[in-house]
Amino acid sequence: MTRAQPSSPSSSPVHIQTRNSSSHRHFFTHFHTNPKPFMEIKSFPFLSQEDYSHFYTLFPDMDDFDINGEGGLKKRRRKEDDSNNSHGPMSDILTTLILLDEEEKQEQEEFFVQTQQEKSILEANHRQKTRAMNEYLSDLQQNHAQSDELDQSRAKRTHQSAVAAAAVVAETANSGAGSEPGSAVPAAGPSRRLWVKDRNKDWWDKYNNPNVSDDEFREAFRMSKATFDMICEELDSAVTKKNTMLRDAIPVRQRVAVCIWRLATGEPLRLVSKRFGLGISTCHKLVLEVCSAIKTVLMPKFLQWPDENRMKGIKEEFEASSGIPNVGGSMYTTHVPIIAPKVNVAAYFNKRHTERNQKTSYSITVQGVVDPRGVFTDVCIGWPGSMPDDQVLEKSALFQRANRGLLKDVWIVGNSGFPLTDWVLVPYTHQNLTWTQHAFNEKIGDVQRVAKDAFAKLKGRWSCLQKRTEVKLQDLPVVLGACCVLHNICAMRNEELDANLSFDIFDDETVPENSLRSATSVQARDHIAHNLLHHGLAGSAFL
């Protein structure tokens, strides 16, 4: 290292040069004698680790000189500096650069490791997808091969059938020609191929077998084999179809079974198709056709308003069980859920069911009157679910029958959702009831419970009424009417309902705005309540 000697202010510029033999880096500083001296540092590449130490030693030597306006150099005192801060702020900067360099290297290593991990994951996913696609392609090729084999076998069977049919025709023609000499033998015409999809019918073949037990049949169809056979006999003339040249007609038993199993289970048509080996559209058509036949053929026989003799027996049975005279039926109104219709959707919105179930509900109403055995004698089906019970009653055929005077001396017992009229008997609904009124309400409740239990059995036996069905809204009254007729047939033939099929029915009862519509009916109800209490027919709860 060479140190420059001081010179006078008037001398030429002084050049201070420092050289490092290992790195060959040069630093030049020019001092001028003008009032504003300047210093120029030429650019140099980044230092290496070995150059740091020499660079540290450079500044103490340079700091020993001070440049003043006269060009003199003065030596600075550095003995007071702490040994830990011997290199000053430049040491901190270089240390920071070293740490940043190490952090950058560490980040590069971590990035490399993370990249390798992501690469391995992507490669594993690619291998898995490739393996899955190969398996799918293999299965697809296998299915195509099986389909080709099935098509070839079907074509072969069709060809054999056509050849056999042609042989039969030729043999018949030849026999005819032998009896009449000179007659020509007609040539066999081209056979017509039948496009009929082969479907599995094992499930239906099992239940169509006479050897199937009655318990198994009842579990599947909600009725005994004897009752099912009776229904098939009744509907034979209405649902029978003739065979055609293309295919054989579906037998009557299978047609009826499709409808009853669909109503009993409420399963979708897709599953009905698999059970009976028929197309989905065919099953839907069969359900509507059989339900229409039930309405046309069976409803006049099994669901009709009782005649005079039958009404007399109904009154006697109700009076024997409740003590209330002239009761000709128990009435109740329930709701059947439906899919939201496309038109007039607000009319079918059921506000009470929506609030109770916390789910938007749409429904139609089913009003029914039953006898003491729970057999329906009158039904009114299809009015929107937003209508209260009293409005449904006013639009029913039962109400029109009463207006014509056909319900004279007959009480139809209903709940608090119906109005009190000359022929509708309902419980007391005001507060602070007397013992007589409490006793009357208890007996009315017993009679009204008969209708509610009948609807519970109806929905329990025919599960299609418990959930929204695939039937269109305009076809639903026919289907529900068929369920009521089948319920009556089972009740009349004493078909027991399995305990597992019990259904808890619940419908909100709202008191109508005009609950009292006849002054004479108020007096008649009070008279009945008085007789029940004072003749010992009110029960033990109020005595």
Side-chain angles (χ1 to χ4, degrees), residues 336-358:
V336 177
I338 62 172
I339 300 175
K342 296 181 180 180
V343 295
N344 201 14
V345 63
Y348 293 90
F349 175 70
N350 193 319
K351 181 179 179 182
R352 291 167 290 178
H353 286 194
T354 299
E355 293 176 351
R356 186 178 69 249
N357 301 329
Q358 297 299 316

PDB file of all heavy atoms in Angstrom, residues 336-358:
ATOM      1  N   VAL A 336    -102.950 -34.179   0.883  1.00  0.00           N
ATOM      2  CA  VAL A 336    -102.002 -35.046   0.188  1.00  0.00           C
ATOM      3  C   VAL A 336    -100.959 -34.150  -0.471  1.00  0.00           C
ATOM      4  O   VAL A 336    -101.313 -33.260  -1.254  1.00  0.00           O
ATOM      5  CB  VAL A 336    -102.704 -35.927  -0.856  1.00  0.00           C
ATOM      6  CG1 VAL A 336    -101.687 -36.765  -1.626  1.00  0.00           C
ATOM      7  CG2 VAL A 336    -103.731 -36.827  -0.181  1.00  0.00           C
ATOM      8  N   PRO A 337     -99.680 -34.343  -0.155  1.00  0.00           N
ATOM      9  CA  PRO A 337     -98.644 -33.461  -0.730  1.00  0.00           C
ATOM     10  C   PRO A 337     -98.510 -33.659  -2.234  1.00  0.00           C
ATOM     11  O   PRO A 337     -98.671 -34.772  -2.757  1.00  0.00           O
ATOM     12  CB  PRO A 337     -97.366 -33.887   0.005  1.00  0.00           C
ATOM     13  CG  PRO A 337     -97.629 -35.278   0.455  1.00  0.00           C
ATOM     14  CD  PRO A 337     -99.103 -35.365   0.742  1.00  0.00           C
ATOM     15  N   ILE A 338     -98.198 -32.581  -2.932  1.00  0.00           N
ATOM     16  CA  ILE A 338     -98.015 -32.607  -4.378  1.00  0.00           C
ATOM     17  C   ILE A 338     -96.807 -31.751  -4.733  1.00  0.00           C
ATOM     18  O   ILE A 338     -96.311 -30.974  -3.912  1.00  0.00           O
ATOM     19  CB  ILE A 338     -99.248 -32.077  -5.135  1.00  0.00           C
ATOM     20  CG1 ILE A 338     -99.516 -30.606  -4.769  1.00  0.00           C
ATOM     21  CG2 ILE A 338    -100.474 -32.937  -4.867  1.00  0.00           C
ATOM     22  CD1 ILE A 338    -100.594 -29.942  -5.604  1.00  0.00           C
ATOM     23  N   ILE A 339     -96.334 -31.914  -5.965  1.00  0.00           N
ATOM     24  CA  ILE A 339     -95.294 -31.039  -6.497  1.00  0.00           C
ATOM     25  C   ILE A 339     -95.932 -29.701  -6.865  1.00  0.00           C
ATOM     26  O   ILE A 339     -97.076 -29.649  -7.302  1.00  0.00           O
ATOM     27  CB  ILE A 339     -94.622 -31.691  -7.714  1.00  0.00           C
ATOM     28  CG1 ILE A 339     -93.993 -33.028  -7.306  1.00  0.00           C
ATOM     29  CG2 ILE A 339     -93.576 -30.781  -8.331  1.00  0.00           C
ATOM     30  CD1 ILE A 339     -93.417 -33.806  -8.461  1.00  0.00           C
ATOM     31  N   ALA A 340     -95.199 -28.636  -6.673  1.00  0.00           N
ATOM     32  CA  ALA A 340     -95.730 -27.300  -6.958  1.00  0.00           C
ATOM     33  C   ALA A 340     -96.223 -27.228  -8.401  1.00  0.00           C
ATOM     34  O   ALA A 340     -95.461 -27.495  -9.333  1.00  0.00           O
ATOM     35  CB  ALA A 340     -94.660 -26.245  -6.726  1.00  0.00           C
ATOM     36  N   PRO A 341     -97.496 -26.934  -8.607  1.00  0.00           N
ATOM     37  CA  PRO A 341     -98.016 -26.874  -9.980  1.00  0.00           C
ATOM     38  C   PRO A 341     -97.455 -25.674 -10.735  1.00  0.00           C
ATOM     39  O   PRO A 341     -96.976 -24.703 -10.146  1.00  0.00           O
ATOM     40  CB  PRO A 341     -99.527 -26.751  -9.768  1.00  0.00           C
ATOM     41  CG  PRO A 341     -99.672 -26.108  -8.431  1.00  0.00           C
ATOM     42  CD  PRO A 341     -98.523 -26.604  -7.602  1.00  0.00           C
ATOM     43  N   LYS A 342     -97.543 -25.731 -12.047  1.00  0.00           N
ATOM     44  CA  LYS A 342     -97.029 -24.659 -12.889  1.00  0.00           C
ATOM     45  C   LYS A 342     -97.991 -23.477 -12.948  1.00  0.00           C
ATOM     46  O   LYS A 342     -97.572 -22.343 -13.209  1.00  0.00           O
ATOM     47  CB  LYS A 342     -96.751 -25.181 -14.297  1.00  0.00           C
ATOM     48  CG  LYS A 342     -95.662 -26.236 -14.342  1.00  0.00           C
ATOM     49  CD  LYS A 342     -95.417 -26.699 -15.761  1.00  0.00           C
ATOM     50  CE  LYS A 342     -94.317 -27.766 -15.802  1.00  0.00           C
ATOM     51  NZ  LYS A 342     -94.065 -28.236 -17.189  1.00  0.00           N
ATOM     52  N   VAL A 343     -99.274 -23.724 -12.753  1.00  0.00           N
ATOM     53  CA  VAL A 343    -100.269 -22.653 -12.799  1.00  0.00           C
ATOM     54  C   VAL A 343    -101.015 -22.601 -11.474  1.00  0.00           C
ATOM     55  O   VAL A 343    -101.196 -23.623 -10.802  1.00  0.00           O
ATOM     56  CB  VAL A 343    -101.270 -22.877 -13.964  1.00  0.00           C
ATOM     57  CG1 VAL A 343    -100.556 -22.779 -15.295  1.00  0.00           C
ATOM     58  CG2 VAL A 343    -101.958 -24.236 -13.845  1.00  0.00           C
ATOM     59  N   ASN A 344    -101.414 -21.399 -11.091  1.00  0.00           N
ATOM     60  CA  ASN A 344    -102.195 -21.184  -9.873  1.00  0.00           C
ATOM     61  C   ASN A 344    -101.512 -21.811  -8.658  1.00  0.00           C
ATOM     62  O   ASN A 344    -102.143 -22.487  -7.834  1.00  0.00           O
ATOM     63  CB  ASN A 344    -103.612 -21.774 -10.047  1.00  0.00           C
ATOM     64  CG  ASN A 344    -104.601 -21.160  -9.075  1.00  0.00           C
ATOM     65  OD1 ASN A 344    -104.330 -20.132  -8.449  1.00  0.00           O
ATOM     66  ND2 ASN A 344    -105.755 -21.793  -8.940  1.00  0.00           N
ATOM     67  N   VAL A 345    -100.201 -21.563  -8.550  1.00  0.00           N
ATOM     68  CA  VAL A 345     -99.422 -22.217  -7.500  1.00  0.00           C
ATOM     69  C   VAL A 345     -99.816 -21.709  -6.113  1.00  0.00           C
ATOM     70  O   VAL A 345     -99.764 -22.465  -5.129  1.00  0.00           O
ATOM     71  CB  VAL A 345     -97.919 -22.002  -7.764  1.00  0.00           C
ATOM     72  CG1 VAL A 345     -97.565 -20.529  -7.699  1.00  0.00           C
ATOM     73  CG2 VAL A 345     -97.069 -22.788  -6.788  1.00  0.00           C
ATOM     74  N   ALA A 346    -100.241 -20.451  -5.994  1.00  0.00           N
ATOM     75  CA  ALA A 346    -100.586 -19.903  -4.680  1.00  0.00           C
ATOM     76  C   ALA A 346    -101.796 -20.606  -4.071  1.00  0.00           C
ATOM     77  O   ALA A 346    -101.898 -20.725  -2.850  1.00  0.00           O
ATOM     78  CB  ALA A 346    -100.851 -18.402  -4.794  1.00  0.00           C
ATOM     79  N   ALA A 347    -102.731 -21.081  -4.917  1.00  0.00           N
ATOM     80  CA  ALA A 347    -103.929 -21.743  -4.397  1.00  0.00           C
ATOM     81  C   ALA A 347    -103.589 -23.067  -3.729  1.00  0.00           C
ATOM     82  O   ALA A 347    -104.288 -23.492  -2.800  1.00  0.00           O
ATOM     83  CB  ALA A 347    -104.936 -21.960  -5.524  1.00  0.00           C
ATOM     84  N   TYR A 348    -102.529 -23.732  -4.161  1.00  0.00           N
ATOM     85  CA  TYR A 348    -102.170 -25.043  -3.605  1.00  0.00           C
ATOM     86  C   TYR A 348    -101.120 -24.935  -2.505  1.00  0.00           C
ATOM     87  O   TYR A 348    -100.704 -25.958  -1.966  1.00  0.00           O
ATOM     88  CB  TYR A 348    -101.652 -25.948  -4.725  1.00  0.00           C
ATOM     89  CG  TYR A 348    -102.711 -26.308  -5.737  1.00  0.00           C
ATOM     90  CD1 TYR A 348    -102.923 -25.516  -6.859  1.00  0.00           C
ATOM     91  CD2 TYR A 348    -103.523 -27.423  -5.558  1.00  0.00           C
ATOM     92  CE1 TYR A 348    -103.916 -25.829  -7.790  1.00  0.00           C
ATOM     93  CE2 TYR A 348    -104.513 -27.743  -6.480  1.00  0.00           C
ATOM     94  CZ  TYR A 348    -104.698 -26.947  -7.585  1.00  0.00           C
ATOM     95  OH  TYR A 348    -105.680 -27.265  -8.495  1.00  0.00           O
ATOM     96  N   PHE A 349    -100.699 -23.727  -2.169  1.00  0.00           N
ATOM     97  CA  PHE A 349     -99.729 -23.544  -1.092  1.00  0.00           C
ATOM     98  C   PHE A 349    -100.390 -23.798   0.257  1.00  0.00           C
ATOM     99  O   PHE A 349    -101.402 -23.189   0.599  1.00  0.00           O
ATOM    100  CB  PHE A 349     -99.162 -22.122  -1.140  1.00  0.00           C
ATOM    101  CG  PHE A 349     -98.234 -21.807  -0.004  1.00  0.00           C
ATOM    102  CD1 PHE A 349     -96.988 -22.389   0.071  1.00  0.00           C
ATOM    103  CD2 PHE A 349     -98.617 -20.927   0.997  1.00  0.00           C
ATOM    104  CE1 PHE A 349     -96.135 -22.092   1.112  1.00  0.00           C
ATOM    105  CE2 PHE A 349     -97.774 -20.625   2.038  1.00  0.00           C
ATOM    106  CZ  PHE A 349     -96.528 -21.213   2.089  1.00  0.00           C
ATOM    107  N   ASN A 350     -99.805 -24.712   1.027  1.00  0.00           N
ATOM    108  CA  ASN A 350    -100.347 -25.080   2.330  1.00  0.00           C
ATOM    109  C   ASN A 350     -99.550 -24.347   3.407  1.00  0.00           C
ATOM    110  O   ASN A 350     -98.439 -24.753   3.768  1.00  0.00           O
ATOM    111  CB  ASN A 350    -100.250 -26.603   2.536  1.00  0.00           C
ATOM    112  CG  ASN A 350    -101.081 -27.071   3.713  1.00  0.00           C
ATOM    113  OD1 ASN A 350    -101.117 -26.422   4.753  1.00  0.00           O
ATOM    114  ND2 ASN A 350    -101.745 -28.198   3.559  1.00  0.00           N
ATOM    115  N   LYS A 351    -100.109 -23.264   3.895  1.00  0.00           N
ATOM    116  CA  LYS A 351     -99.406 -22.423   4.855  1.00  0.00           C
ATOM    117  C   LYS A 351     -99.209 -23.130   6.181  1.00  0.00           C
ATOM    118  O   LYS A 351     -98.138 -23.047   6.792  1.00  0.00           O
ATOM    119  CB  LYS A 351    -100.191 -21.119   5.061  1.00  0.00           C
ATOM    120  CG  LYS A 351     -99.541 -20.151   6.031  1.00  0.00           C
ATOM    121  CD  LYS A 351    -100.359 -18.884   6.172  1.00  0.00           C
ATOM    122  CE  LYS A 351     -99.723 -17.930   7.166  1.00  0.00           C
ATOM    123  NZ  LYS A 351    -100.537 -16.692   7.341  1.00  0.00           N
ATOM    124  N   ARG A 352    -100.217 -23.862   6.645  1.00  0.00           N
ATOM    125  CA  ARG A 352    -100.116 -24.500   7.960  1.00  0.00           C
ATOM    126  C   ARG A 352     -99.061 -25.601   7.969  1.00  0.00           C
ATOM    127  O   ARG A 352     -98.271 -25.723   8.906  1.00  0.00           O
ATOM    128  CB  ARG A 352    -101.485 -25.065   8.357  1.00  0.00           C
ATOM    129  CG  ARG A 352    -102.529 -23.987   8.668  1.00  0.00           C
ATOM    130  CD  ARG A 352    -103.916 -24.565   8.738  1.00  0.00           C
ATOM    131  NE  ARG A 352    -104.381 -24.980   7.409  1.00  0.00           N
ATOM    132  CZ  ARG A 352    -105.551 -25.550   7.172  1.00  0.00           C
ATOM    133  NH1 ARG A 352    -106.384 -25.791   8.177  1.00  0.00           N
ATOM    134  NH2 ARG A 352    -105.901 -25.889   5.956  1.00  0.00           N
ATOM    135  N   HIS A 353     -99.026 -26.431   6.920  1.00  0.00           N
ATOM    136  CA  HIS A 353     -98.004 -27.471   6.850  1.00  0.00           C
ATOM    137  C   HIS A 353     -96.614 -26.869   6.665  1.00  0.00           C
ATOM    138  O   HIS A 353     -95.625 -27.404   7.176  1.00  0.00           O
ATOM    139  CB  HIS A 353     -98.309 -28.425   5.692  1.00  0.00           C
ATOM    140  CG  HIS A 353     -99.453 -29.339   5.985  1.00  0.00           C
ATOM    141  ND1 HIS A 353     -99.730 -30.454   5.225  1.00  0.00           N
ATOM    142  CD2 HIS A 353    -100.406 -29.320   6.949  1.00  0.00           C
ATOM    143  CE1 HIS A 353    -100.795 -31.070   5.706  1.00  0.00           C
ATOM    144  NE2 HIS A 353    -101.220 -30.390   6.757  1.00  0.00           N
ATOM    145  N   THR A 354     -96.514 -25.765   5.935  1.00  0.00           N
ATOM    146  CA  THR A 354     -95.223 -25.115   5.730  1.00  0.00           C
ATOM    147  C   THR A 354     -94.676 -24.578   7.046  1.00  0.00           C
ATOM    148  O   THR A 354     -93.482 -24.741   7.353  1.00  0.00           O
ATOM    149  CB  THR A 354     -95.364 -23.973   4.714  1.00  0.00           C
ATOM    150  OG1 THR A 354     -95.820 -24.513   3.462  1.00  0.00           O
ATOM    151  CG2 THR A 354     -94.030 -23.274   4.504  1.00  0.00           C
ATOM    152  N   GLU A 355     -95.521 -23.952   7.855  1.00  0.00           N
ATOM    153  CA  GLU A 355     -95.062 -23.412   9.133  1.00  0.00           C
ATOM    154  C   GLU A 355     -94.702 -24.523  10.111  1.00  0.00           C
ATOM    155  O   GLU A 355     -93.746 -24.380  10.890  1.00  0.00           O
ATOM    156  CB  GLU A 355     -96.159 -22.518   9.729  1.00  0.00           C
ATOM    157  CG  GLU A 355     -96.407 -21.240   8.913  1.00  0.00           C
ATOM    158  CD  GLU A 355     -97.564 -20.431   9.472  1.00  0.00           C
ATOM    159  OE1 GLU A 355     -98.268 -20.957  10.367  1.00  0.00           O
ATOM    160  OE2 GLU A 355     -97.773 -19.284   9.012  1.00  0.00           O
ATOM    161  N   ARG A 356     -95.445 -25.618  10.090  1.00  0.00           N
ATOM    162  CA  ARG A 356     -95.162 -26.695  11.029  1.00  0.00           C
ATOM    163  C   ARG A 356     -93.922 -27.488  10.648  1.00  0.00           C
ATOM    164  O   ARG A 356     -93.093 -27.844  11.497  1.00  0.00           O
ATOM    165  CB  ARG A 356     -96.364 -27.641  11.111  1.00  0.00           C
ATOM    166  CG  ARG A 356     -96.193 -28.713  12.200  1.00  0.00           C
ATOM    167  CD  ARG A 356     -97.402 -29.617  12.312  1.00  0.00           C
ATOM    168  NE  ARG A 356     -97.540 -30.465  11.150  1.00  0.00           N
ATOM    169  CZ  ARG A 356     -98.502 -30.369  10.248  1.00  0.00           C
ATOM    170  NH1 ARG A 356     -99.413 -29.425  10.380  1.00  0.00           N
ATOM    171  NH2 ARG A 356     -98.567 -31.179   9.214  1.00  0.00           N
ATOM    172  N   ASN A 357     -93.734 -27.775   9.355  1.00  0.00           N
ATOM    173  CA  ASN A 357     -92.617 -28.588   8.897  1.00  0.00           C
ATOM    174  C   ASN A 357     -91.392 -27.776   8.521  1.00  0.00           C
ATOM    175  O   ASN A 357     -90.341 -28.362   8.208  1.00  0.00           O
ATOM    176  CB  ASN A 357     -93.052 -29.428   7.682  1.00  0.00           C
ATOM    177  CG  ASN A 357     -94.220 -30.331   7.997  1.00  0.00           C
ATOM    178  OD1 ASN A 357     -94.361 -30.790   9.134  1.00  0.00           O
ATOM    179  ND2 ASN A 357     -95.060 -30.599   7.012  1.00  0.00           N
ATOM    180  N   GLN A 358     -91.507 -26.447   8.522  1.00  0.00           N
ATOM    181  CA  GLN A 358     -90.412 -25.572   8.123  1.00  0.00           C
ATOM    182  C   GLN A 358     -89.921 -25.912   6.721  1.00  0.00           C
ATOM    183  O   GLN A 358     -88.722 -25.896   6.433  1.00  0.00           O
ATOM    184  CB  GLN A 358     -89.249 -25.682   9.130  1.00  0.00           C
ATOM    185  CG  GLN A 358     -89.594 -25.226  10.531  1.00  0.00           C
ATOM    186  CD  GLN A 358     -89.998 -23.754  10.586  1.00  0.00           C
ATOM    187  OE1 GLN A 358     -89.359 -22.923   9.965  1.00  0.00           O
ATOM    188  NE2 GLN A 358     -91.041 -23.455  11.333  1.00  0.00           N
TER     189      GLN A 358
END
